[in-house]
Amino acid sequence: MKTPLSILKKYWGHHAFRPLQEEIIQHVLQKKDSIVLLPTGGGKSICFQIPALLMKGTCLVVSPLLALMQDQIENLNRKNIKAVALNKNRSQEELIVLFDNLQFTNTKFLYLSPEKLQSPFIQNKIKQLSISLIAIDEAHCISEWGHDFRPSYLKLNTLRKLCPQANFIALTATATEKVLKDIAQNLEFNKETLFKSSYKRSNLAYQVFDVEDKFSKILQILNKIKSPVIIYTNHRKNTKKISDQLNHNNFPSVYYHGGMPIDEKQKMYDQWYSESARIMVATNAFGMGIDKDNIRCVIHYDLPNSIENYTQETGRAGRNGKKSFAVLLKNKPDLTASLKNFEQQEFTIDFVKKIYFHLNQYFQIAKGTHSEKKYEFDIYEFCHRYNFSLKKTSQILQTLQNQGVLQLFDGHQKKAALKFTSNSNHVLSYCKKHPSSASLLQLVLRSYGGIFENFVPISLYKLSKELNTTPKCIHTILQNLERDSLIKYLPTSTKTSLNFLVPREDNRTINSISKNIKSIQGNKKKKFLDMLAFIENKKLCRSQQLLFYFGEKSKETCGICEVCLEKKSTPNVDLKLLKKNILDILKSKELTSQEICQYIPNNKTIILRTLQTLLEAQKIQLTTQNTYKSL
């Protein structure tokens, strides 16, 4: 029989090996249950993939994310290891063929989502397979205190009955003690072993900077760091905007977000991975399956929603052990905007009931009936008809899916996009000759930049609201404009569909899940506030703060975060006099922080910290022009 080391050499190479992994692999091969908590980049997948190759039968992998499944399957297939996923809407005949192949060929890995596992047909087919090992990926989803709770994960103990001979391995990168306890309890682990690697990253410098001009700070960082960099932003439109600005400043850059076509995503990823463009600007859709160990810096342009997300994303830097940087940029307007944005994302149970009621009305489903039909669904038209917020409606639909009320297929629709194929003079001339199209053309020109050079995503829903018409009417006008060779128009994708998983019982349906929804929302809020507290705490070493959050104690400071460096470099300064000098200057004029530093010959870091103290004491105020004024 081959050894774990020989398998490792054959398929992964020595670079993937870590001592703790060997211990975990041996434990799994002894058919014992285990929980594996390894930070991002810690090599969790190897902990079940190598044992699976050494064991007879198939390894069943439960994963919540289609992209993560696809990435692991492609990596395995490249190594000539057979792996398949139930990640498509297959007919029963196709499923029968797939499971026959699993039974009679040497397919080592079957990936599926926890939702797919609820199908009685799939359960019956799994029962007929020789399952040797069950890997629960992203296991923190089991706990409502995890950062991505999925109620469907609570039903995974069904696998105990379906595959009584298989042992379990539950894997996660981010879990508190409470989450680990929930994992063990829900998966019915009696004598599990916890394998845990410290969250401490001694080569990673966590730095939080208060800056007025984030882009200038990014340029300053990129001038110093010549290795690959990831810049995270919370907004899709910012990925391209920031990337374009960087390219304009001679920093080769690409961008990535969840709404891009697959081939475009791959093109951007390949350019970044090959380092023909060493800077990637992305939303958190970029990250899973990244196998690049020389990322020198991860920059957060916007505030992450939780410490778990922050730790996962920053953990992609410095995997080669060299000193690297996790930089978070913030300013006071950021904190205000983030709080406002978070509050806007919250929704009441009454609003969930309203959405669910109108959804049933929209598809004309009678009370007390259970329609098993799959419905084509246009979320823009739905929101327009009932005057609902698109953002909140999307969130509630996702919540209803997570709670097992309905199922969405192929995600939400891709936005329409257009590009002008004629010059601005021709467009103006066209407006005069076609007044019925003029208002839409003028609105598009005002609302979207760069539309003469590139395809730009547009929202038919927003345009129709502005012009007090319907998305269908906007679509027709755009088709006419394309026919007249004025624009090139890519319509909204129509692949989105949904079906209902439970009978229509209106309030009763939502009341049964209201406790879960309230608990999840409360947990999200707590995590967001914990993230804000981490950012605002400038007294305790950043590394110590993160370790404490995940239940680790450390008396030793990192010495390389901005808190530690400031303590090392702080000279003896008369802070009382410094405050007085700043207030005296601001009595006569409004100044930026850079201008204040020019007036006062002192350490810039101390001045910035003193400005923050004066802001908190409400002695001064930051204006919308990013200048300070005395109060």
Side-chain angles (χ1 to χ4, degrees), residues 330-507:
K330 75 174 184 78
N331 50 42
K332 189 135 188 173
D334 261 351
L335 301 179
T336 307
S338 294
L339 278 168
K340 186 179 178 182
N341 184 53
F342 190 85
E343 286 165 1
Q344 287 174 344
Q345 289 179 26
E346 292 184 305
F347 46 80
T348 64
I349 297 299
D350 283 342
F351 192 52
V352 178
K353 289 177 179 177
K354 196 173 182 180
I355 294 285
Y356 181 64
F357 173 81
H358 283 94
L359 202 60
N360 281 285
Q361 294 292 95
Y362 186 74
F363 292 115
Q364 299 181 342
I365 296 169
K367 287 183 181 179
T369 62
H370 181 196
S371 173
E372 296 184 9
K373 180 182 173 184
K374 189 181 288 185
Y375 295 93
E376 290 295 320
F377 182 54
D378 185 335
I379 190 172
Y380 301 104
E381 204 277 328
F382 175 76
C383 289
H384 185 268
R385 180 182 297 186
Y386 298 110
N387 197 27
F388 289 147
S389 156
L390 180 65
K391 193 170 185 180
K392 281 197 176 178
T393 302
S394 296
Q395 289 172 325
I396 289 171
L397 289 175
Q398 190 60 53
T399 299
L400 291 174
Q401 174 169 262
N402 290 345
Q403 295 295 324
V405 173
L406 53 82
Q407 188 169 9
L408 299 165
F409 296 93
D410 296 322
H412 291 320
Q413 294 171 309
K414 302 291 187 295
K415 276 189 175 181
L418 67 82
K419 174 186 176 183
F420 279 96
T421 53
S422 54
N423 60 41
S424 55
N425 290 333
H426 184 212
V427 173
L428 292 172
S429 173
Y430 187 92
C431 286
K432 290 176 183 176
K433 294 177 184 176
H434 302 83
S436 60
S437 303
S439 55
L440 175 59
L441 281 168
Q442 288 162 3
L443 178 59
V444 167
L445 290 170
R446 285 198 309 271
S447 305
Y448 303 100
I451 206 160
F452 284 93
E453 295 83 29
N454 302 294
F455 276 102
V456 173
I458 61 168
S459 170
L460 270 63
Y461 171 72
K462 286 182 181 177
L463 292 170
S464 65
K465 292 274 279 185
E466 286 279 341
L467 297 174
N468 196 27
T469 183
T470 65
K472 191 174 182 179
C473 180
I474 299 293
H475 171 72
T476 302
I477 296 172
L478 292 174
Q479 283 184 318
N480 292 337
L481 292 173
E482 182 172 43
R483 185 198 60 209
D484 292 345
S485 302
L486 201 73
I487 63 168
K488 181 69 179 171
Y489 171 51
L490 303 176
T492 302
S493 163
T494 56
K495 291 182 180 178
T496 299
S497 57
L498 66 78
N499 68 347
F500 294 87
L501 302 178
V502 297
R504 177 184 176 181
E505 294 180 305
D506 290 352
N507 287 358

Side-chain angles (χ1 to χ4, degrees), residues 4 59 123 172 192 202 242 358 373 376 435 469 559 606 627:
C59 174
Q123 286 184 12
T172 179
E192 84 286 349
S202 55
I242 296 169
H358 283 94
K373 180 182 173 184
E376 290 295 320
T469 183
I606 300 297
T627 59

Side-chain angles (χ1 to χ4, degrees), residues 102-159:
L102 279 164
Q103 262 188 298
F104 303 113
T105 63
N106 191 29
T107 302
K108 294 303 296 182
F109 297 93
L110 169 62
Y111 283 76
L112 80 168
S113 69
E115 289 80 16
K116 289 280 187 189
L117 192 59
Q118 306 316 308
S119 160
F121 176 79
I122 288 175
Q123 286 184 12
N124 188 50
K125 284 296 181 183
I126 287 173
K127 207 172 179 179
Q128 297 169 22
L129 296 176
S130 175
I131 302 293
S132 56
L133 176 63
I134 295 171
I136 311 296
D137 209 0
E138 308 295 333
H140 55 266
C141 295
I142 286 173
S143 173
E144 68 175 62
W145 294 100
H147 64 286
D148 191 21
F149 174 54
R150 296 275 284 263
S152 53
Y153 262 70
L154 295 176
K155 300 175 183 176
L156 294 183
N157 53 10
T158 305
L159 289 166

Side-chain angles (χ1 to χ4, degrees), residues 520-624:
I520 292 165
Q521 287 208 118
N523 188 32
K524 279 185 177 177
K525 187 164 189 175
K526 183 184 180 303
K527 289 182 177 298
F528 179 67
L529 294 175
D530 285 341
M531 186 71 219
L532 293 187
F534 167 77
I535 291 167
E536 294 292 272
N537 188 338
K538 299 173 185 177
K539 295 179 181 178
L540 188 63
C541 164
R542 296 287 176 199
S543 182
Q544 282 182 320
Q545 289 186 60
L546 293 174
L547 291 172
F548 179 74
Y549 180 83
F550 289 109
E552 288 186 50
K553 293 179 181 177
S554 175
K555 293 180 180 178
E556 195 178 319
T557 58
C558 72
I560 56 174
C561 71
E562 106 279 1
V563 175
C564 291
L565 291 175
E566 282 181 19
K567 285 179 180 177
K568 285 180 185 178
S569 61
T570 301
N572 291 323
V573 175
D574 187 337
L575 294 177
K576 193 173 181 180
L577 178 61
L578 178 58
K579 287 178 186 178
K580 183 180 181 303
N581 289 340
I582 291 173
L583 290 171
D584 287 344
I585 292 169
L586 293 178
K587 280 178 184 176
S588 57
K589 61 179 81 175
E590 294 180 11
L591 297 170
T592 66
S593 61
Q594 290 180 340
E595 289 168 337
I596 292 169
C597 290
Q598 290 171 1
Y599 274 95
I600 301 173
N602 215 318
N603 182 289
K604 184 178 179 181
T605 302
I606 300 297
I607 291 174
L608 292 175
R609 201 187 309 159
T610 305
L611 285 170
Q612 187 63 34
T613 303
L614 290 169
L615 278 171
E616 290 166 1
Q618 297 186 339
K619 299 283 187 183
I620 61 173
Q621 181 182 330
L622 185 63
T623 71
T624 53

